[in-house]
Amino acid sequence: MAAPEPAPRRGREREREDESEDESDILEESPCGRWQKRREQVNQGNMPGVQSTFLAMDTEEGVEVVWNELHFGDRKAFAAHEEKIQTMFEQLVLVDHPNIVKLHKYWLDASEARARVSHGHRHTTGWDVATAGVGDGGWWQGPACSWRSPPAPQVIFITEYVSSGSLKQFLKKTKKNHKAMNARAWKRWCTQILSALSFLHACSPPIIHGNLTSDTIFIQHNGLIKIGSVWHRIFSNALPDDLRSPIRAEREELRNLHFFPPEYGEVADGTAVDIFSFGMCALEMAVLEIQANGDTRVTEEAITRARHSLSDPNMREFILSCLARDPSHRPSAHNLLFHRVLFEVHSLKLLAAHCFIQHQYLMPENVVEEKTKAVDLHAVLAEIPRPPRPPLQWRYSEVSCLELDKFLEDVRNGIYPLMNFAAARPLGLPRVLAPPPEEAQKAKTPTPEPFDSETRKVIQMQCNLERSEDKARWHLTLLLVLEDRLHRQLTYDLLPTDSAQDLATELVHYGFVHEDDRTKLAAFLESTFLKYLGAQP
């Protein structure tokens, strides 16, 4: 018989259980009920200006997110600039890149604020909506939401949660067992960071991060890099002086001063600011740590020693070009991706994976597994002639299905971006994201409350058309599988005037489909119409 457990140990375990239960308590809900704030506070790097950050639950996707609270003390100033704050956050929600921490949702929490769009089970457009996540066990109708805003003026916004911590934390852990970073991992991280910066700088007007440090770069367990705090510089520059009090700049911390170039704060910010900060991050990633003088700032001597410790001359030249004193001599993020230390010809495997993912919505969900089962594992996949010797053969049995699935998932998540080809530039963003000039007063007309934009991409589509009982019209059922495996079923009674393009536009407008999926959804609907009707209705 086992000996009874000592009472003090059982007491400690009960205390830990009680603490865990307290941390999971729901303190507050978002206006629509989707986001639930917990008691547990998180420190996802240094998020300047945010006084409180809590762990929260996304009840629709079943994942953890971060609940950020930005408080304001001057109620009158907040009310006067409420519309500008809304516009800025509306545009920040549109910033969508696999290597940038996603801002999912925001709302203004003040007595004058109104609830954002509520998710009901029926829209005035005639679309019926049902959604289900993995493990839900069926479709459910989204309930209507209502809320009463508390009196304290603040902005609450929901951001992606990166559980593995900041790059600085990761480098400190790595330094315990290694003297330098693996060159292959360093190149992969640099490529992902530059991919995000190239995306931001290509916006119109360019989005300048202005706060890039190893504390605002996060890394996931699979090696995916995420840049956080993108909103800070835009928000602090666009707000008038009477509302800037909550905004705290990262450069106010002595330990991070070395991430900011000499011209910072003296001249108008440009994209070169981010390049200097990236160069310092790249140096810190390569040497794992730049020794500071005690707990104060990092000195020029420490930076020089770190540079000289680099054994790879190409890596040293790459970092030095980013740290040029003259901002006009620093290369762009896009050009840095073509530097000889990073540039490589993409493999056919990577090109095929990107092509596969772009067209995955046309294929069954488990297409890789099904195709693998149908292949003769002893068949020759590829052959290299080597006369007079026998050819070198590669058989299907040498390809692991599980490894292929993992590789496709990594490509889908953004770990292996394609940067050696001309790509479509990001959509232009309104001027409100740039430091605004003197604005003339314009007459304001009331506008309807906008709908939430869908941020998840569609990976699979199914469509069916059935005649109504009176044979007078067609009933359309559309099933969409989103990238987080959420299933969305939409039903609609077609009108004679409806076209595939109009229906796709409507679904994007009402937040059912991502803007990037509009074209392929329209083409998919049109092919369905031709199949069932013989001609587009």
Side-chain angles (χ1 to χ4, degrees):
M1 180 180 296
E5 188 176 349
R9 180 179 174 184
R10 290 200 301 270
R12 288 194 299 270
E13 288 186 354
R14 280 197 297 269
E15 289 177 2
R16 286 196 294 267
E17 290 176 359
D18 292 341
E19 290 176 1
S20 177
E21 290 177 359
D22 290 342
E23 289 179 349
S24 62
D25 288 345
I26 298 174
L27 302 182
E28 191 177 345
E29 285 190 348
S30 63
C32 66
R34 175 177 176 178
W35 321 98
Q36 295 179 341
K37 171 185 171 183
R38 294 180 178 175
R39 190 182 303 276
E40 181 181 355
Q41 289 191 283
V42 294
N43 180 24
Q44 188 159 301
N46 290 329
M47 296 290 285
V50 179
Q51 287 86 343
S52 304
T53 53
F54 297 87
L55 200 63
M57 175 60 71
D58 180 349
T59 58
E60 183 176 316
E61 297 188 25
V63 297
E64 292 179 320
V65 291
V66 179
W67 177 296
N68 305 271
E69 296 178 353
L70 182 60
H71 303 282
F72 294 87
D74 191 333
R75 174 174 296 279
K76 291 184 178 179
F78 180 83
H81 301 287
E82 182 176 323
E83 185 177 345
K84 175 174 285 189
I85 294 172
Q86 281 185 313
T87 305
M88 285 188 294
F89 271 95
E90 288 287 355
Q91 301 307 319
L92 284 170
V93 170
L94 299 178
V95 176
D96 189 11
H97 188 276
N99 300 116
I100 296 176
V101 172
K102 179 64 180 171
L103 195 156
H104 293 296
K105 185 74 172 114
Y106 84 96
W107 61 92
L108 306 184
D109 194 357
S111 57
E112 296 84 1
R114 294 178 298 165
R116 307 297 300 163
V117 176
S118 298
H119 295 284
H121 69 279
R122 176 91 179 176
H123 284 266
T124 56
T125 59
W127 287 98
D128 279 314
V129 190
T131 56
V134 175
D136 285 341
W139 303 107
W140 57 273
Q141 299 290 340
C145 305
S146 61
W147 68 297
R148 183 179 302 168
S149 51
Q154 59 183 344
V155 176
I156 298 175
F157 56 100
I158 305 297
T159 54
E160 186 178 0
Y161 178 48
V162 186
S163 58
S164 298
S166 69
L167 181 62
K168 182 178 287 292
Q169 293 170 337
F170 183 86
L171 294 177
K172 283 185 177 180
K173 294 177 184 177
T174 306
K175 188 173 176 61
K176 294 179 181 179
N177 301 313
H178 300 82
K179 293 183 179 180
M181 177 54 62
N182 175 273
R184 187 174 182 83
W186 179 86
K187 292 179 181 181
R188 188 181 300 168
W189 290 355
C190 286
T191 301
Q192 293 181 63
I193 297 171
L194 288 172
S195 175
L197 289 179
S198 180
F199 172 87
L200 293 173
H201 294 173
C203 290
S204 179
I207 296 179
I208 300 166
H209 190 288
N211 187 39
L212 192 67
T213 72
S214 54
D215 282 319
T216 58
I217 299 174
F218 306 99
I219 180 169
Q220 292 187 348
H221 64 280
N222 59 358
L224 179 64
I225 291 289
K226 294 271 187 178
I227 292 180
S229 195
V230 172
W231 68 274
H232 167 256
R233 188 259 181 194
I234 298 169
F235 200 53
S236 59
N237 281 358
L239 281 181
D241 293 335
D242 53 354
L243 272 182
R244 288 187 185 179
S245 56
I247 307 298
R248 174 181 60 82
E250 189 68 18
R251 65 179 183 275
E252 293 175 3
E253 294 193 10
L254 290 177
R255 67 189 183 94
N256 284 321
L257 279 176
H258 62 290
F259 287 101
F260 299 90
E263 76 275 9
Y264 197 94
E266 298 179 2
V267 297
D269 291 347
T271 56
V273 168
D274 288 342
I275 301 302
F276 184 95
S277 300
F278 162 76
M280 200 61 71
C281 290
L283 178 60
E284 188 171 357
M285 288 189 300
V287 300
L288 297 180
E289 182 183 19
I290 304 176
Q291 293 290 341
N293 184 12
D295 294 329
T296 59
R297 63 179 299 176
V298 173
T299 62
E300 286 290 336
E301 291 77 11
I303 296 173
T304 302
R305 285 197 302 270
R307 290 204 311 261
H308 288 320
S309 69
L310 298 175
S311 58
D312 187 338
N314 288 331
M315 185 183 295
R316 189 185 308 117
E317 191 272 332
F318 174 84
I319 292 174
L320 284 175
S321 67
C322 299
L323 300 179
R325 306 286 296 184
D326 186 345
S328 63
H329 292 165
R330 297 172 202 152
S332 67
H334 185 72
N335 288 341
L336 283 171
L337 286 163
F338 289 86
H339 191 280
R340 57 184 171 274
V341 78
L342 294 183
F343 180 83
E344 60 183 24
V345 177
H346 292 312
S347 66
L348 181 59
K349 178 181 177 182
L350 182 59
L351 296 176
H354 276 273
C355 183
F356 177 86
I357 290 170
Q358 289 172 4
H359 299 87
Q360 192 172 0
Y361 68 96
L362 296 173
M363 308 175 192
E365 185 175 348
N366 57 343
V367 62
V368 175
E369 181 181 354
E370 293 299 325
K371 291 292 184 183
T372 304
K373 290 180 180 178
V375 169
D376 179 8
L377 296 181
H378 298 290
V380 176
L381 174 64
E383 183 177 273
I384 302 177
R386 299 183 303 173
R389 294 180 295 169
L392 183 63
Q393 295 181 336
W394 190 25
R395 300 183 183 276
Y396 282 99
S397 58
E398 300 177 55
V399 181
S400 170
C401 179
L402 293 177
E403 289 181 3
L404 186 57
D405 277 335
K406 183 182 182 302
F407 180 70
L408 288 171
E409 189 67 24
D410 288 344
V411 173
R412 186 182 295 108
N413 288 336
I415 295 179
Y416 302 102
L418 285 184
M419 295 306 300
N420 298 352
F421 299 92
R425 292 301 187 192
L427 296 175
L429 298 177
R431 278 287 170 190
V432 70
L433 292 184
E438 292 295 328
E439 296 179 344
Q441 292 293 328
K442 298 180 180 179
K444 298 179 181 178
T445 56
T447 56
E449 195 75 7
F451 288 82
D452 289 340
S453 297
E454 179 56 76
T455 59
R456 295 159 295 184
K457 302 290 184 64
V458 174
I459 62 172
Q460 187 179 353
M461 303 180 192
Q462 294 179 17
C463 187
N464 184 51
L465 282 177
E466 293 181 351
R467 280 281 194 184
S468 59
E469 292 182 0
D470 58 5
K471 306 296 183 181
R473 63 186 184 277
W474 287 89
H475 184 71
L476 182 147
T477 301
L478 180 64
L479 175 63
L480 305 176
V481 180
L482 305 185
E483 58 188 356
D484 61 350
R485 302 303 179 188
L486 183 82
H487 291 65
R488 175 168 289 157
Q489 180 174 280
L490 305 166
T491 59
Y492 183 78
D493 290 327
L494 284 175
L495 301 175
T497 56
D498 286 330
S499 68
Q501 185 64 45
D502 291 341
L503 293 178
T505 300
E506 186 174 301
L507 287 170
V508 171
H509 173 74
Y510 288 103
F512 295 131
V513 177
H514 195 290
E515 171 65 36
D516 292 350
D517 292 328
R518 182 206 302 262
T519 302
K520 65 182 181 185
L521 175 59
F524 180 71
L525 288 174
E526 186 171 356
S527 64
T528 303
F529 293 160
L530 291 173
K531 175 183 176 182
Y532 282 90
L533 310 178
Q536 186 172 329

